[in-house]
Amino acid sequence: MKQTIVSGMRPTGKLHLGHYLGVIQNWVQLQDKYDCYFFAADWHALTTKYDKTEDLRQNTLDVIMDWLACGIDPEKSTIYVQSLVPEIAELNIYLGMITPQNWVERDPCLKDMAKILKSKEGQASQINFGLMGYPVLMSSDIMMFNADYVPVGIDQVAHIEITRDITRRFNNLYGEFFHEAKPLLNHCSLICGLDGNKMGKSFNNDIKISDTEEVTAKKIMTAITDRSRLRKDDPGHPDDCEVAFKYWKIFGSEEEIKIVQDECIKGQRGCAQCKRQLAEKINSTLAPIRQKRKYYEEHQDEVIKIIEDGSQRARLKAKEVLSQVRNLVKMY
Ligand code: TRP
Ligand code: SF4
């Protein structure tokens, strides 16, 4: 019996290279070894964006098309939409009953979210009941499939700690049933944004998986290089080249990296030329992914079918778990 993995993403729009290199590539690897459940967390998106839902459906499709393009395989993994598995909401009720208020109040992830909200105006600055329940809902996602591992970024670990606390409490109260899910941290190097800060869609410094080659090339031309370099035959310092050379190290072969480095140091390589080449390199790496994404964009009915089948499959497992939970909690 394979161990189970659950992970999700809030559908906030098209994914960028940070998601691809930092999260999805890892998921793709896990698919062969584990029984994987990957989902679009549309309820979690509602916790903060309940007043702006016009793009939510399209965002959900976009996220899942990006996954499929990157190699998440519906034959291997269960791909679904959170809100299409209503069993999660019922589990959320039981878990909410056994979660002390102060466990969610001291959740550092939630504190950060609350800080961002407070800077907004009017109704949008409120912390709603649903947002308070964020870690409980996340626990429901994870426990719904009795997960053993949850691949997440370091920023989500505090949530998983709450999940483990809730799991222990459930098992103590009603009998040993749930596994204590462990976070699975991904140690791959993070790709920075074009401006050298963390890559993020709201920072306007990202390259999307679904960007065209032209857009990618234009964006790469804005990447920060060695700031001390004025003319193209000045000797450069790859180690001070804040973004472009870092991208080379991610996308280039060892040989290519060596050539870039040597030519840069000797002043034989202008930054513009260097970045044009880099863009070609990135574009050729992404070409098969983009081709696959284009296929899904043109066949969205297939994507919808994958989501519906996946959600159906997820529900079968969720119903099994839920009937045991109902039994343990002594529901009628
Ligand atoms: N909170 C996660 C994020 O913002 C998304 C998420 C929701 C999740 N439920 C989950 C991740 C369950 C892992 C497991 O990235
Ligand atoms: Fe960076 Fe390339 Fe310019 Fe060197 S030549 S500073 S590696 S962009």
Side-chain angles (χ1 to χ4, degrees), residues 128-148:
N128 292 319
F129 184 64
L131 181 60
M132 287 301 294
Y134 194 108
V136 182
L137 183 56
M138 195 160 151
S139 302
S140 309
D141 294 327
I142 295 165
M143 293 163 71
M144 189 79 265
F145 302 97
N146 213 350
D148 298 286

Side-chain angles (χ1 to χ4, degrees), residues 225-226 229 236-238 241 244-245 248 260 264 269-271 274-275:
T225 62
D226 173 2
R229 213 169 175 213
H237 308 85
C241 175
F245 190 63
W248 269 117
V260 172
C264 175
R269 159 178 287 265
C271 290
C274 185
K275 289 196 280 189

Side-chain angles (χ1 to χ4, degrees), residues 5-267:
I5 275 190
V6 173
S7 199
M9 270 186 204
R10 274 174 292 168
T12 53
K14 292 176 175 153
L15 302 182
H16 54 62
L17 292 185
H19 295 117
Y20 173 55
L21 298 166
V23 184
I24 307 170
Q25 262 191 343
N26 187 229
W27 287 9
V28 170
Q29 304 281 319
L30 294 168
Q31 292 185 106
D32 294 309
K33 240 182 99 192
Y34 296 95
D35 190 13
C36 291
Y37 292 83
F38 298 126
F39 68 100
D42 56 351
W43 280 331
H44 278 105
L46 278 189
T47 61
T48 53
K49 299 256 171 66
Y50 57 87
D51 57 345
K52 215 180 155 292
T53 57
E54 59 276 10
D55 299 329
L56 189 50
R57 268 193 203 145
Q58 188 56 47
N59 287 347
T60 299
L61 271 180
D62 272 325
V63 164
I64 290 177
M65 286 193 287
D66 280 328
W67 295 352
L68 294 169
C70 292
I72 302 296
D73 182 348
E75 302 280 317
K76 294 181 187 167
S77 301
T78 305
I79 301 171
Y80 61 99
V81 173
Q82 185 184 34
S83 68
L84 287 178
V85 185
E87 287 73 17
I88 296 166
E90 185 175 337
L91 181 57
N92 191 53
I93 292 181
Y94 304 126
L95 300 186
M97 301 301 167
I98 64 170
T99 306
Q101 187 176 344
N102 65 356
W103 287 9
V104 295
E105 277 171 351
R106 62 170 193 244
D107 175 14
C109 307
L110 215 66
K111 281 187 184 161
D112 289 345
M113 285 170 115
K115 228 182 276 165
I116 296 170
L117 280 184
K118 282 212 181 94
S119 67
K120 297 187 177 165
E121 268 167 32
Q123 206 185 20
S125 70
Q126 295 281 336
I127 296 169
N128 292 319
F129 184 64
L131 181 60
M132 287 301 294
Y134 194 108
V136 182
L137 183 56
M138 195 160 151
S139 302
S140 309
D141 294 327
I142 295 165
M143 293 163 71
M144 189 79 265
F145 302 97
N146 213 350
D148 298 286
Y149 295 100
V150 188
V152 282
I154 190 90
D155 60 315
Q156 297 290 315
V157 170
H159 283 145
I160 314 282
E161 282 308 319
I162 295 184
T163 303
R164 292 164 62 80
D165 290 339
I166 295 176
T167 299
R168 277 193 288 269
R169 192 159 174 130
F170 185 98
N171 289 346
N172 281 333
L173 284 164
Y174 305 116
E176 283 296 319
F177 175 66
F178 285 112
H179 302 165
E180 260 181 57
K182 294 187 203 52
L184 206 60
L185 285 172
N186 185 8
H187 296 288
C188 81
S189 59
L190 273 180
I191 186 168
C192 63
L194 293 156
D195 55 4
N197 298 315
K198 183 178 178 229
M199 188 178 280
K201 90 180 197 121
S202 44
F203 310 134
N204 230 334
N205 65 357
D206 64 350
I207 297 171
K208 303 261 195 291
I209 292 166
S210 52
D211 278 342
T212 63
E213 300 201 338
E214 293 70 33
V215 168
T216 305
K218 264 199 200 125
K219 286 183 176 177
I220 291 289
M221 295 315 281
T222 70
I224 293 181
T225 62
D226 173 2
R227 293 173 203 260
S228 70
R229 213 169 175 213
L230 299 176
R231 280 181 304 270
K232 69 175 183 200
D233 46 4
D234 285 345
H237 308 85
D239 292 336
D240 297 334
C241 175
E242 275 179 53
V243 178
F245 190 63
K246 282 194 188 146
Y247 284 11
W248 269 117
K249 286 202 275 193
I250 294 172
F251 290 96
S253 65
E254 254 175 68
E255 211 181 338
E256 287 165 325
I257 298 168
K258 184 96 184 47
I259 293 172
V260 172
Q261 194 167 22
D262 286 350
E263 292 184 356
C264 175
I265 290 170
K266 290 185 191 145

